[in-house]
Amino acid sequence: MDWEAVEEAGRILREGGLVAFPTETVYGLGANGLDEQAAAKIYAAKGRPSDNPLILHITSMEELVPLAAEIPPEARALAEAFWPGPMTMIFKKTPLVPRGTTGGLDTVAVRMPSHPVARALIRAAGVPVAAPSANTSGRPSPTKAAHVAEDMDGRIDMLVDGGEVGIGLESTIIDVSEGVPTILRPGYITMEMIRRVTGRVEVDPASLGQMSPDAHPKAPGMKYRHYAPRAEMTIYRGAGPAVSAAIRKALARAKEEGRRAGVICTEETRELYEAPVKECIGSRAKPETIAHNLYDVLRAFDEEQVDCIFSESFDDSFLGSAIMNRLVKAAGHRIVECGE
Ligand code: AMP
Ligand code: MG
């Protein structure tokens, strides 16, 4: 790693500029989180709706105190268990946090990343770093520097290349600002892991279900189409054999209609399909491989210029719920239930 470049990037952040950098989840697009004007540049570079709030990134519990009006005991326990790491918590905000970074909300989202480059950068900046994923709003999140360059070339002051990220899916978001801790976005830290720490946890139904455009969900990002490849994508859900049969039928139909089709399959099922473009997303026996490859696979279909994408589905437990959350959004909720 070029640590001098990280120092330079810290200076750019402190002075109000934009820097893309690796974290353990996905690449982030950073700006000074206490400077509304700097944060406004993030929204402009991403084309992100301004009511979709940003997550502030810190490196120690001391840095949380000036941002959060209240740190409930359950939040302390979660921080102890999962920070630094891929978990974001929502707190009531202090006046120090400008509404320009919280989408106008009275709450603030905070995460303490574990990636050494992210940590060094935040320390070099000397301020909390607001950082959504470093992709154009709506596109798949970047898991490699090349993905960031595709979307952000010419729009940012610097890109710190830290190689491929580890996890490949955004952090788990937990609202600890009132009542029972509630998962707003599933991620690598699963409900089962959270329950072991806090004893109680709820899942916001909007994190999986359909959201109407005029709704006001707790995590405003939940209502937007997200992570989406350019082609129309459909998820086939049900028992394995029924799913593969339905996808084979859809492939045959696409061929007849002269549409170039892509399939999202797994190590276990790749032999079952003949398709113009076949992307193996990972192994069902190792869900973390699926999380890691997911966005790269979605971007690959854009490069291959397919007209339609047919995807298998995954069990909705543990890491599977985070994987399905991203796939369902990428598909704009187009799901076909496959019978026996
Ligand atoms: P991204 O930065 O693209 O990973 O998205 C950040 C997510 O965090 C968005 O879905 C936001 O809606 C959510 N978020 C950030 N701040 C808050 C907040 N104060 N309350 C609820 N959700 C938040
Ligand atoms: Mg994002």
Side-chain angles (χ1 to χ4, degrees), residues 228-245:
R230 294 197 179 92
E232 182 182 274
M233 175 168 157
T234 308
I235 296 173
Y236 291 79
R237 193 159 58 186
V243 164
S244 48

Side-chain angles (χ1 to χ4, degrees), residues 4-17 19 121 124-126:
E4 264 174 42
V6 175
E7 284 299 318
E8 166 67 12
R11 216 164 20 246
I12 291 172
L13 287 178
R14 205 164 48 244
E15 289 164 7
V19 173
L121 175 62

Side-chain angles (χ1 to χ4, degrees), residues 26 46 48 52 132-135 137-139 141-142 170 185 226-227 295:
V26 300
K46 282 179 63 85
R48 179 176 173 120
N52 192 353
S133 48
N135 53 286
S137 192
R139 291 207 73 207
S141 301
E170 301 81 353
R185 176 173 73 186
H226 245 103
Y227 322 122
Y295 290 128

